[in-house]
Amino acid sequence: MNTETPTPPPVTGRQTRILTLASGSAGSGKSTLAGALAEQAAAHGLTVCVIGLDRQRDVSRLLGYDDPDADENLPTLMDVVDGLCTLDEALVPGRHSKTGEILPGLWLVLESDRLDALTLKLAGVTARELWLTQQLKQLEGRFDLILLDCPGNMDLGTQNALIAGTEIVGCTKSQEKEARGLTALEDKIAHLHQSYGFLGMRDGLDWIVIGEGVTNISQGKLYFEIEQQVREAYGDLVVAPTVRDDVKVPEAYSASLPITLYNPKSDAAAAYVAIGKAMKLYS
């Protein structure tokens, strides 16, 4: 078992993809997707960094850190905001939450319960919407993939992530609330693009992932129709396959593990692996 803390990757000049996982609705599966994609990308040999922006701290928990705020020796994103460390110094290795074993190639910047104060903390910062864009320069060229896991709202953290991302992933479910969240997300992207498009900010969604979809019409005609509406509205942006409703997903969440680690042979794990391939993260 390897539990020895590795050294963060050096600058190699590699091209870094920055995926912003976002939604205008809470509970849309962003952290579940982030954990699964990060674990699988690292397992396929990529060097991966996950940055959580949600005070719920779900993705930190899935990747080995149950309560970062409880350990004063663990840096968090809010420590970077407060100037107590740099983003580079805040990197910690991903771990198996049950065994403590290092997940090779996987790194995190941990979330904090204090992230609800992010807007206030950055209030006096010049161009505060670009704070994360500037910070990520410390990591570009060192990682193949950076995943930004946003909260389920359009607060300043999400705005920073939308501007910083090289690709924007809209997360939803085959339910009306989450589907409407895509519209709210698009509206925010369009608004921000007016001010920051000249910096290269994306002008729309690059991918849409549907989690917890129904298996067939008999399981819920309304949910099936909503999924079909999303696919008709967004066409090729919607990644195949849909992650079908699978009891293993909440089980994995309760176990504080990505579904791809908790039960690699489950239908949901297979779907997330296929989604990563469809997004050309790995082959």
Side-chain angles (χ1 to χ4, degrees):
M1 180 186 299
N2 181 15
T3 59
E4 184 178 349
T5 302
T7 302
V11 175
T12 61
R14 70 186 73 192
Q15 183 177 359
T16 302
R17 293 175 66 177
I18 304 173
L19 269 60
T20 300
L21 279 55
S23 172
S25 172
S28 59
K30 297 179 300 297
S31 296
T32 299
L33 176 64
L37 290 183
E39 189 277 327
Q40 273 301 293
H44 280 79
L46 277 68
T47 305
V48 183
C49 177
V50 180
I51 301 178
L53 294 149
D54 193 341
R55 68 181 298 269
Q56 298 286 347
R57 296 161 291 171
D58 284 339
V59 76
S60 297
R61 189 165 57 83
L62 290 173
L63 297 175
Y65 298 85
D66 184 62
D67 186 5
D69 294 299
D71 187 342
E72 62 182 15
N73 294 316
L74 282 177
T76 70
L77 185 61
M78 283 305 293
D79 291 323
V80 180
V81 174
D82 289 336
L84 301 177
C85 65
T86 65
L87 192 66
D88 174 58
E89 292 168 341
L91 290 169
V92 297
R95 295 180 181 273
H96 191 294
S97 65
K98 300 306 181 187
T99 66
E101 186 174 2
I102 297 293
L103 302 177
L106 180 52
W107 295 82
L108 295 85
V109 176
L110 297 172
E111 298 154 296
S112 169
D113 183 55
R114 298 185 294 121
L115 277 166
D116 58 349
L118 182 65
T119 299
L120 179 61
K121 289 283 187 178
L122 293 180
V125 175
T126 302
R128 60 181 186 165
E129 291 85 0
L130 300 177
W131 179 82
L132 185 57
T133 300
Q134 295 298 320
Q135 294 291 323
L136 287 177
K137 292 179 180 179
Q138 299 175 42
L139 306 184
E140 292 180 37
R142 299 171 61 183
F143 292 92
D144 298 300
L145 177 65
I146 298 175
L147 296 170
L148 306 177
D149 183 29
C150 297
N153 55 47
M154 295 293 109
D155 68 2
L156 185 60
T158 298
Q159 293 174 45
N160 265 261
L162 291 174
I163 295 168
T166 60
E167 300 166 53
I168 300 175
V169 184
C171 300
T172 189
K173 295 180 180 179
S174 53
Q175 300 176 29
E176 185 173 2
K177 178 175 73 73
E178 286 77 13
R180 287 182 181 231
L182 290 177
T183 302
L185 177 58
E186 285 188 297
D187 289 345
K188 179 57 69 174
I189 292 170
H191 175 74
L192 291 171
H193 182 75
Q194 291 180 355
S195 299
Y196 301 103
F198 74 98
L199 294 174
M201 180 198 164
R202 308 296 296 159
D203 61 358
L205 294 166
D206 295 278
W207 312 95
I208 294 173
V209 174
I210 303 175
E212 294 187 30
V214 297
T215 302
N216 53 51
I217 295 178
S218 65
Q219 287 184 280
K221 186 173 186 295
L222 177 59
Y223 292 165
F224 185 84
E225 289 177 348
I226 291 173
E227 178 181 332
Q228 292 302 106
Q229 290 170 9
V230 170
R231 291 192 174 278
E232 289 173 5
Y234 293 99
D236 291 341
L237 294 183
V238 184
V239 182
T242 293
V243 182
R244 298 301 176 191
D245 196 11
D246 188 336
V247 69
K248 297 302 180 183
V249 174
E251 285 182 7
Y253 180 85
S254 297
S256 300
L257 287 170
I259 180 62
T260 49
L261 268 183
Y262 176 75
N263 192 323
K265 295 183 179 180
S266 65
D267 291 342
Y272 281 115
V273 172
I275 286 169
K277 290 180 179 179
M279 297 172 70
K280 298 179 173 59
L281 300 182
Y282 46 78
S283 58

